[in-house]
């Protein structure tokens, strides 16, 4: 701005225009740079998260040995002869997520069909906000209801099923099955919303053609519309898997919390719940192994993200054709 | 409508229809049941004292005022960081970027960021903000962690709003000689305000409901800032509140329920649900406004 104060009478107008122009160019330039920086922040965030997860997760692998962590089934990090096997923990997350999907996805897709195809407009307009609200409920509240309502029910069921069994260890209803049910409810909003969008996006001529050929409404839905909405529904399922495998606070207390074979009535520990429940007091190698558990979870999530990206790209290309 | 004109419904059709109605019924009943139950159990605990005092053995109070203040701090600081970043990113993606490697990288990472579970954010926040940057378990660390989490939400909502601004606004402004920044500042941002607000409200909901990312970053303190009376002292107390541990409502709920103090947990749950419902309503209003503008 110094230059601008040295205006002479003669070139006053020319210079003032030039200066204003320069100043404008400077502002424009900095605006663009700032916006670019803002946008690049997401890259920076993901790169640093990845980096730090790897950096903090690998020391324990060198210390304990990868097979000792991944394929050992004994988890007793605080005992005299500490064991850091997380095979059951990994399997619990996999089995738990799979079962939650098995229960949640059919209900979710059918509800989406209800909203998009079956329900009268007014009823759909009442159900839809309810589903959206379901997504907004904090996960600790799911956990609270799980532990307060579901666990006692499970305990009663446990007592009936294992009546007189000498080998079964009673865990008071805090078991894999309880956690699976909580997860199944928690993935509902994701599955419903995305499937509904996919079903609504199916071109109307597919539906009309099917109906014109004499198919009933139900046949049309299940034989024509749902297959046509396949890629969207797969997206919904993959997102549901992501949500279920990453959920921590809702199932920490509901699932019991000891490391066991993932069977319905066993008290179990998930990848997420191991981190939540033990990070508070863990020290030394134990703590580093918990970071390795975090890394395993992170790898799962990244795999899901890559799969999702593939699906979305694939469907985009198909639409482009 | 066409289905009704058929002579006879097939039995499998009836079965499928029943399954569809059953599923939708389950979804709605679950929601109503859950909300109803939390209110039913919690409302008995919630009173003025519960909301305005802190947990104290000496005075025999069990209030959650400290946690409410912590949650407020988290919301304000997080939004203060994430809103400019998110809006700026959206402006870049919509107005400046030309399709290329940078844009696809930004879009992929934004997508990834929204897919990372909160417990991973919590771990990262603990290693990075709490330990590496030396901020300690504090409200500030928690807010920084949450800022990363809600960034995609704000970016995406702003982007969507920017897309609804008609192209003619842009060409009109630029044609009249406005510079790009001037056009963004005076035309684009005001017209996409409802979208930005929607993103921000959704972010508030996310912050209020989050627990896993906060447990080991913001910690579990429950004290109110100690106000001394004089202005500077107050200011100092308010600022230093951000640098000490502070448990949000959700974290407090979690701690109470691990102690099997279910009554208090339901009380906090009740408060949380009221906030969530209010946020839901606000989003609806903002969305309506957005539609009216578009």
């Amino acid at each position: 701005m110094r230059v601008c104060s040295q205006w002479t009478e003669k070139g006053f107008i020319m210079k003032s225009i030039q200066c204003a122009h320069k100043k404008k160019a400077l502002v424009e330039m900095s605006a663009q740079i700032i916006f670019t920086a803002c946008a690049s922040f997401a890259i920076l965030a993901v790169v640093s998260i990845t980096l730090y997860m790897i950096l903090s997760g690998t020391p324990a692998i060198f210390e304990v040995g990868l097979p000792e962590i991944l394929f050992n089934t004994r988890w007793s990090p605080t005992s005299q002869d500490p064991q850091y096997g997380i095979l059951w923990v990994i399997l619990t997350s996999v089995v738990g997520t799979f079962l939650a999907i098995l229960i949640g996805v059919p209900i979710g897709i059918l509800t989406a069909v209800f909203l998009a195809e079956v329900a009268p407009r007014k009823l759909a307009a009442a159900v839809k906000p309810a589903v959206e609200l379901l997504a907004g409920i904090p996960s600790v509240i799911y956990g609270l209801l799980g532990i307060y309502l579901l666990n006692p029910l499970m305990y009663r069921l446990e007592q009936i099923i294992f009546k007189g069994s000498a080998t079964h260890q009673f865990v008071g209803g805090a078991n894999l099955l309880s956690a699976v049910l909580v997860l199944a409810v928690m993935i509902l909003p994701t599955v419903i919303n995305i499937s509904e969008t996919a079903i609504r996006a199916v071109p109307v001529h597919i539906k009309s053609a099917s109906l014109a050929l004499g198919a009933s409404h139900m046949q049309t839905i299940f034989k024509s519309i749902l297959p046509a909405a396949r890629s969207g529904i797969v997206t919904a399922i993959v997102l549901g898997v992501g949500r279920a495998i990453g959920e921590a606070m809702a199932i920490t207390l509901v699932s019991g919390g000891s490391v066991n074979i993932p069977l319905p009535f066993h008290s179990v520990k998930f990848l997420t719940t191991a981190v939540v429940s033990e990070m508070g007091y863990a020290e030394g190698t134990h703590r580093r192994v918990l970071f390795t558990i975090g890394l395993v979870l992170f790898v799962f999530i990244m795999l899901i993200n890559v799969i999702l990206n593939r699906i979305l790209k694939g469907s985009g290309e198909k639409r482009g054709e | 409508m066409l289905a009704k004109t058929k002579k006879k419904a097939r039995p499998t059709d009836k079965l499928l229809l029943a399954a569809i109605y059953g599923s939708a019924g389950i979804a709605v009943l679950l929601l109503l049941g859950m909300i109803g139950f939390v209110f039913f159990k919690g409302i008995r605990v919630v009173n003025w004292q519960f909301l305005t005092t802190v947990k104290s053995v000496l005075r025999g109070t069990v209030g959650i005022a400290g946690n409410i203040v912590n949650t407020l701090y988290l919301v304000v600081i997080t939004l203060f960081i994430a809103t400019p970043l998110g809006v700026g990113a959206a402006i870049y993606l919509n107005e400046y970027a030309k399709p290329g490697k940078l844009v696809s990288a930004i879009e992929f990472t934004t997508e990834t960021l929204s897919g990372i579970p909160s417990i991973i954010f919590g771990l990262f926040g603990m290693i990075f903000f709490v330990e590496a940057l030396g901020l300690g378990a504090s409200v500030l660390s928690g807010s920084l962690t949450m800022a990363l989490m809600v960034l995609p939400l704000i970016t995406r909502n702003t982007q969507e709003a920017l897309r609804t601004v008609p192209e003619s606004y842009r060409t009109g402004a630029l044609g009249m000689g406005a510079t790009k920044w001037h056009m963004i500042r005076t035309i684009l941002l005001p017209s996409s305000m409802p979208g930005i607000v929607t993103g921000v409200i959704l972010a508030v909901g996310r912050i209020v409901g989050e627990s896993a990312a906060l447990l080991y970053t913001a910690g579990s303190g429950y004290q109110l800032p100690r106000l001394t009376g004089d202005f500077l002292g107050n200011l100092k107390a308010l600022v230093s509140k951000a640098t000490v541990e502070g448990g949000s409502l959700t974290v407090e709920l979690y701690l109470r329920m691990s102690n099997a103090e279910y009554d208090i947990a339901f009380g906090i749950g009740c408060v949380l649900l009221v906030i969530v419902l209010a946020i839901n309503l606000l989003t609806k209003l903002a969305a309506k406004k957005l539609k009216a503008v578009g």
Side-chain angles (χ1 to χ4, degrees):
Chain A
M1 299 307 107
R2 254 274 166 78
V3 193
C4 298
S5 61
Q6 294 171 345
W7 292 335
T8 56
E9 274 295 317
K10 233 181 173 180
F12 179 79
I13 295 172
M14 276 309 286
K15 280 243 172 83
S16 109
I17 289 174
Q18 272 175 3
C19 273
H21 192 73
K22 243 184 215 163
K23 195 180 150 200
K24 260 186 195 166
L26 194 74
V27 171
E28 286 300 298
M29 208 39 184
S30 30
Q32 177 156 14
I33 290 170
I34 289 171
F35 290 136
T36 316
C38 285
S40 311
F41 194 79
I43 303 180
L44 182 71
V46 170
V47 168
S48 32
I49 290 176
T50 311
L51 210 68
Y52 269 90
M53 288 315 290
I54 293 172
L55 278 180
S56 59
T58 40
I61 295 176
F62 291 116
E63 202 173 322
V64 185
L66 193 60
E68 260 309 288
I69 293 179
L70 287 186
F71 304 117
N72 185 356
T73 56
R74 294 211 348 256
W75 173 260
S76 51
T78 50
S79 70
Q80 283 283 323
D81 168 36
Q83 296 285 331
Y84 301 106
I86 61 167
L87 184 61
W88 288 152
V89 181
I90 297 176
L91 281 182
T92 301
S93 268
V94 173
V95 171
T97 303
F98 177 75
L99 290 177
I101 292 291
L102 214 60
I103 299 169
V105 163
I107 297 177
I109 293 178
L110 287 177
T111 308
V113 168
F114 175 80
L115 287 172
E117 286 289 324
V118 178
R121 191 159 293 192
K122 269 193 187 151
L123 191 56
V127 173
K128 181 99 176 121
V131 171
E132 275 162 20
L133 203 56
L134 208 55
I137 295 179
S139 50
V140 277
I141 292 188
Y142 283 98
L144 179 61
L145 288 167
I147 199 168
Y148 194 81
L149 294 176
L150 199 55
N151 283 357
L153 268 177
M154 280 296 151
Y155 186 45
R156 224 171 285 160
L157 197 64
E158 195 181 15
Q159 280 172 321
I160 294 168
I161 294 175
F162 294 98
K163 203 176 178 186
S165 159
T167 50
H168 181 75
Q169 203 179 354
F170 285 93
V171 289
N175 54 31
L176 178 67
L177 196 54
S178 299
V180 163
L181 288 177
V182 170
L183 288 178
V185 177
M186 291 191 75
I187 62 167
L188 274 182
T190 313
V191 177
I192 294 173
N193 279 334
I194 295 169
S195 311
E196 195 206 339
T197 314
I199 292 169
R200 284 195 193 275
V202 172
V204 105
H205 64 80
I206 289 183
K207 187 180 173 185
S208 348
S210 168
L211 290 173
L213 284 168
S216 71
H217 192 194
M218 285 302 123
Q219 283 173 316
T220 306
I221 289 172
F222 286 94
K223 298 263 164 69
S224 308
I225 296 178
L226 285 185
R230 195 176 43 218
S231 81
I233 290 172
V234 172
T235 307
I237 296 172
V238 175
L239 281 175
V241 170
R243 178 117 202 243
I245 207 164
E247 182 51 50
M249 300 304 263
I251 53 173
T252 303
L253 299 173
V254 177
S255 62
S258 41
V259 176
N260 268 315
I261 310 174
L263 287 175
F265 284 95
H266 276 180
S267 163
V268 289
K269 211 164 233 179
F270 291 73
L271 288 167
T272 49
T273 65
V275 174
V276 168
S277 59
E278 294 184 29
M279 194 51 98
Y281 63 85
E283 279 171 356
T285 314
H286 182 192
R287 192 165 190 270
R288 288 191 281 279
V289 176
L290 288 182
F291 280 116
T292 309
I293 293 182
L295 182 60
V296 171
L297 178 64
F298 188 68
V299 170
F300 271 117
I301 294 294
M302 280 306 175
L303 276 178
I304 291 168
N305 261 313
V306 170
I307 293 170
L308 200 63
N309 213 39
R310 283 270 164 81
I311 298 170
L312 292 179
K313 247 188 202 158
S315 67
E317 272 160 22
K318 233 189 267 163
R319 230 171 272 149
E321 271 173 15
Chain B
M1 301 302 116
L2 279 168
K4 278 183 191 158
T5 61
K6 287 200 68 74
K7 284 162 248 158
K8 213 174 170 190
R10 298 152 11 111
T12 41
D13 281 11
K14 275 188 185 159
L15 214 69
L16 287 171
L17 197 64
I20 291 173
Y21 268 96
S23 299
I26 287 176
V28 174
L29 280 182
L30 266 174
L31 175 88
L32 293 181
M34 278 170 35
I35 291 182
F37 191 80
V38 172
F39 271 120
F40 169 73
K41 285 286 296 178
I43 204 77
R44 275 176 287 185
V45 185
V46 180
N47 53 30
W48 188 242
Q49 197 208 26
F50 185 69
L51 295 174
T52 54
T53 59
V54 297
K55 179 164 59 180
S56 160
V57 185
L58 269 177
R59 290 191 208 116
T61 52
V62 289
I64 53 166
N67 305 107
I68 294 177
V69 171
N70 289 334
T71 308
L72 271 177
Y73 262 79
L74 282 166
V75 168
V76 170
I77 301 176
T78 304
L79 289 179
F80 189 73
I81 302 164
T83 312
L85 277 175
V87 172
I91 290 176
Y92 173 77
L93 287 173
N94 252 50
E95 306 301 324
Y96 284 95
K98 294 173 190 73
K101 276 210 176 117
L102 183 64
V103 172
S104 53
I106 292 168
E107 260 163 7
F108 175 72
T109 46
T110 307
E111 203 62 40
T112 309
L113 217 50
S114 64
I116 293 177
S118 47
I119 181 75
I120 299 274
F121 280 103
L123 277 179
F124 172 73
M126 188 171 103
I127 319 165
F128 189 69
F129 297 122
V130 176
E131 287 167 14
L133 292 189
L135 295 173
S138 63
V139 173
L140 187 61
S141 300
S143 303
L144 288 166
T145 312
M146 287 310 298
L148 297 180
M149 261 184 93
V150 299
L151 188 64
L153 214 59
I154 294 174
T155 305
R156 212 162 307 136
N157 276 287
T158 309
Q159 257 187 298
E160 229 141 79
L162 284 174
R163 271 187 215 128
T164 61
V165 178
E167 199 53 40
S168 57
Y169 284 27
R170 293 187 181 84
T171 45
L174 291 176
M176 284 170 81
T179 59
K180 196 159 192 176
W181 165 234
H182 193 253
M183 183 265 291
I184 291 169
R185 195 159 48 90
T186 54
I187 310 282
L188 287 188
L189 283 182
S191 356
S192 52
M193 205 36 98
I196 298 173
V197 172
T198 308
V200 168
I201 300 172
L202 286 173
V204 173
R206 191 87 189 267
I207 302 164
V208 170
E210 184 48 53
S211 44
L214 293 174
L215 188 59
Y216 293 119
T217 55
S220 57
Y222 52 83
Q223 296 300 343
L224 286 167
R226 229 174 241 128
L227 298 180
T228 47
D230 66 306
F231 178 75
L232 263 174
N234 280 351
L235 198 68
K236 214 174 143 196
L238 286 174
V239 171
S240 69
K241 173 80 184 139
T243 60
V244 296
E245 270 195 63
S248 67
L249 285 167
T250 45
V251 168
E252 183 67 15
L253 197 165
Y254 174 76
L255 295 174
R256 295 294 187 148
M257 99 179 149
S258 13
N259 281 341
E261 295 172 273
Y262 295 123
D263 284 335
I264 296 166
F266 273 109
I268 301 173
C270 195
V271 174
L272 278 172
L273 275 188
V274 169
I275 300 174
V276 167
L277 287 173
I279 285 170
N280 211 274
L281 220 72
L282 279 177
T283 332
K284 286 266 146 60
L285 285 177
K288 226 180 226 169
K289 196 121 190 247
L290 184 62
K291 252 186 202 155
V293 168

